[in-house]
Amino acid sequence: MKLSDLSGHPGARKTRKRIGRGIGSGKGKTGGRGGKGQTARSGVRIKGFEGGQMPLHRRLPKRGFKNTAFAVKLNEVNLGRIQAAIEAGLLDASAKVDSAALVKAGVLRRAKGGVRLLGTGEIKAKVAISVYGASKSAVAAVEKAGGSVEILAPRPEASEQAA
């Protein structure tokens, strides 16, 4: 076997179609774009366009509910990240850990609407954490390590729980 005998699998190397190189190429003149009009030009924006008729996505009624304007935007922090910050000396385990302390330590970039504590990773330090919300596994892991979790989110009303 020689180096010249080596080649890729059949179909692995496909030659590029050279567009606009004369009538004999099969892709000459209009270059596979058909006749004149919007689609023959560059910068075509025709998806969903129905020739001036009101498009289907605008004819159909809006359905459902979106809470995007009022939804609380939260940062998510895993227990492993907090433990790593404590070990690196960025967070003080004896002081209360809240969103301001996490931002100062560089764990979070900005506070947003609050912090949600998630249970990935393990925490060994005894820490008092004050967050907007926390998963059950995160609360259990912090309490197992001897710490405490204070949840700042307002409790749901009894009427919402019944529904």
Side-chain angles (χ1 to χ4, degrees), residues 15 22 82 88-89 129 148 155:
T15 53
I82 292 175
I129 300 175
S148 63
R155 290 228 173 249

Side-chain angles (χ1 to χ4, degrees), residues 5-14:
D5 295 339
L6 294 175
S7 65
H9 294 297
R13 292 172 164 271
K14 191 175 177 187

Side-chain angles (χ1 to χ4, degrees), residues 74-134:
L74 299 173
N75 285 308
E76 293 171 349
V77 176
N78 282 307
L79 290 175
R81 293 263 322 266
I82 292 175
Q83 181 62 39
I86 291 168
E87 288 170 0
L90 299 170
L91 271 175
D92 184 18
S94 60
K96 184 176 264 191
V97 175
D98 57 356
S99 60
L102 291 169
V103 170
K104 190 176 176 190
V107 177
L108 301 176
R109 192 178 291 166
R110 62 185 70 83
K112 286 189 185 174
V115 177
R116 177 151 170 83
L117 189 65
L118 303 178
T120 306
E122 62 176 321
I123 190 146
K124 299 167 194 145
K126 182 181 175 183
V127 188
I129 300 175
S130 176
V131 288
Y132 185 86

Side-chain angles (χ1 to χ4, degrees), residues 126-144:
K126 182 181 175 183
V127 188
I129 300 175
S130 176
V131 288
Y132 185 86
S135 66
K136 288 177 185 172
S137 61
V139 173
V142 171
E143 287 174 351
K144 185 181 173 190

